[in-house]
Amino acid sequence: MQTDILGAPYLQRVIDLPDDDQGKVVATLVSRRAPGDSRRAVLYLHGFTDYFFQTHLADFFVTRGYDFYALDLRKYGRSLLAHQTPNFTRSMDEYFPELDEAARIIREEDGHDTMVVAAHSTGGLISALWAHARADAGLVDGLLLNSPFFDINAPWIMRRPAVSAVGSLAQRAPYRVIPLKLPGLYGRSLHRDHDGEWDYRVDWKPVSGFPVRVAWLKAIRSGQRRLHAGLDLKVPVFVGCSTASYRQRQWSELAHEADAVLNVDHIVRWAPALGRDVTLARIEGGKHDLTLSRRPARDRFFAESDRWLQTRLH
């Protein structure tokens, strides 16, 4: 354990994982304790082109008596090593070992009886699949999902042939970059050096994102198909998303008031596939990461999250 890059009271612990085709692999567990002796914990999981930096999110949980943990997955943020391809994976299941170890630390070493997983975007997809795979172990007591990545933001007629082509290419050239022209409007709306209010490391979270690679896209689509087939989670689930998607390719102040990454109608459509106890909250004025929305949208998201925690986790 050592002091995290965020400074005290945040600590970090490096989790060593088996080497892969690029060499050494690690994940990083960040933690911050709530006042007093808590038996409840939350594990936060970031999205794609992302890492944990949202200290106000930790504030929200610790003031409610939850010890806070955040996991920077392999090849993301604190866990990204010089020899690695950022954010690369061949399967959502590749992340399960660090989630297993984080859960073991939280429950066995640190003695927590309750563990809620709070996750954003791609982290929402990963955590739902992991919670389903580990259902018999009883590791997760609830899922709080912030704009989860349940489908590709493109028309169906474009998605199907593109993904079919990617599937065969992923076997031959997994690291090949898909030539997408992303405008970077979401990142522009966030970072304080542009039109946003937040400060974070742009080498770990570039304004225009990291390149999308064919094996990663195949892994995402495979995970999404599993979710679409139905997961039947037995724990309560909260799903939050904006009321609108931002569909323009040019910058506008309206990018501050909508999800500029995903189609929010997809999130609403697939939320019921998670299980029988799903609470959906639409946040007017919410961005893709609802916690990074402008006020009062982010306050509404935290209020809805608090209501769910009070009613479904107590």
Side-chain angles (χ1 to χ4, degrees):
M1 297 287 287
Q2 61 183 357
T3 302
D4 186 62
I5 59 171
L6 295 173
Y10 294 92
L11 300 174
Q12 71 164 241
R13 173 172 175 170
V14 175
I15 298 172
D16 290 313
L17 298 163
D19 293 357
D20 67 7
D21 63 306
Q22 292 190 319
K24 183 177 175 62
V25 179
V26 301
T28 311
L29 186 64
V30 179
S31 61
R32 173 184 166 189
R33 292 305 182 97
D37 185 16
S38 177
R39 305 288 289 183
R40 297 178 297 170
V42 60
L43 174 62
Y44 174 72
L45 200 61
H46 56 77
F48 182 65
T49 306
D50 207 358
Y51 72 102
F52 169 64
F53 63 92
Q54 302 91 331
T55 56
H56 65 294
L57 176 62
D59 293 341
F60 169 79
F61 283 105
V62 299
T63 57
R64 285 157 181 78
Y66 285 81
D67 286 342
F68 181 85
Y69 297 80
L71 184 65
D72 276 14
L73 296 167
R74 64 184 71 197
K75 305 183 183 183
Y76 284 86
R78 297 163 179 81
S79 308
L80 178 60
L81 305 179
H83 61 274
Q84 293 177 327
T85 302
N87 305 181
F88 181 82
T89 189
R90 288 179 169 85
S91 169
M92 298 294 98
D93 295 7
E94 286 187 359
Y95 300 119
F96 290 4
E98 52 256 51
L99 283 162
D100 290 341
E101 179 61 7
R104 188 195 66 78
I105 292 169
I106 291 168
R107 286 192 172 275
E108 295 181 14
E109 291 192 14
D110 294 350
H112 294 95
D113 299 324
T114 300
M115 187 182 78
V116 177
V117 177
H120 169 57
S121 196
T122 305
L125 175 63
I126 296 166
S127 62
L129 296 171
W130 175 69
H132 173 72
R134 301 293 185 264
D136 291 343
L139 300 180
V140 178
D141 295 290
L143 287 172
L144 196 162
L145 306 183
N146 165 5
S147 302
F149 189 16
F150 288 165
D151 213 337
I152 300 292
N153 187 7
W156 177 86
I157 196 66
M158 294 174 61
R159 280 180 284 162
R160 186 163 184 173
V163 171
S164 296
V166 162
S168 59
L169 184 58
Q171 300 298 321
R172 295 181 283 110
Y175 291 94
R176 181 171 295 180
V177 173
I178 299 173
L180 299 174
K181 293 184 178 180
L182 301 176
L185 301 180
Y186 175 58
R188 176 175 171 176
S189 79
L190 295 182
H191 201 277
R192 68 180 186 183
D193 288 347
H194 299 274
D195 290 277
E197 60 183 291
W198 306 100
D199 187 26
Y200 50 81
R201 288 185 53 162
V202 293
D203 56 333
W204 290 349
K205 185 177 174 65
V207 171
S208 295
F210 284 114
V212 173
R213 299 176 186 274
V214 291
W216 177 88
L217 182 57
K218 181 184 177 183
I220 288 291
R221 289 304 290 163
S222 175
Q224 289 173 342
R225 283 194 296 269
R226 286 153 61 189
L227 181 139
H228 296 173
L231 298 183
D232 195 27
L233 296 173
K234 299 298 191 290
V235 299
V237 182
F238 175 94
V239 176
C241 67
S242 181
T243 55
S245 295
Y246 185 78
R247 304 180 189 278
Q248 301 179 43
R249 301 288 294 178
Q250 302 299 320
W251 172 257
S252 163
E253 283 295 306
L254 294 176
H256 285 299
E257 308 296 328
D259 190 325
V261 178
L262 297 182
N263 183 332
V264 294
D265 293 338
H266 292 162
I267 299 173
V268 174
R269 176 186 178 185
W270 294 115
L274 292 164
R276 301 175 186 177
D277 185 355
V278 178
T279 301
L280 176 68
R282 306 292 299 272
I283 307 300
E284 185 176 357
K287 294 187 183 183
H288 178 52
D289 186 339
L290 296 166
T291 72
L292 302 181
S293 303
R294 285 179 166 177
R295 284 196 167 102
R298 72 172 177 263
D299 292 337
R300 285 196 289 268
F301 172 67
F302 282 126
E304 293 289 345
S305 299
D306 185 45
R307 185 176 298 111
W308 178 79
L309 287 170
Q310 294 293 331
T311 57
R312 304 302 299 131
L313 269 298
H314 286 77

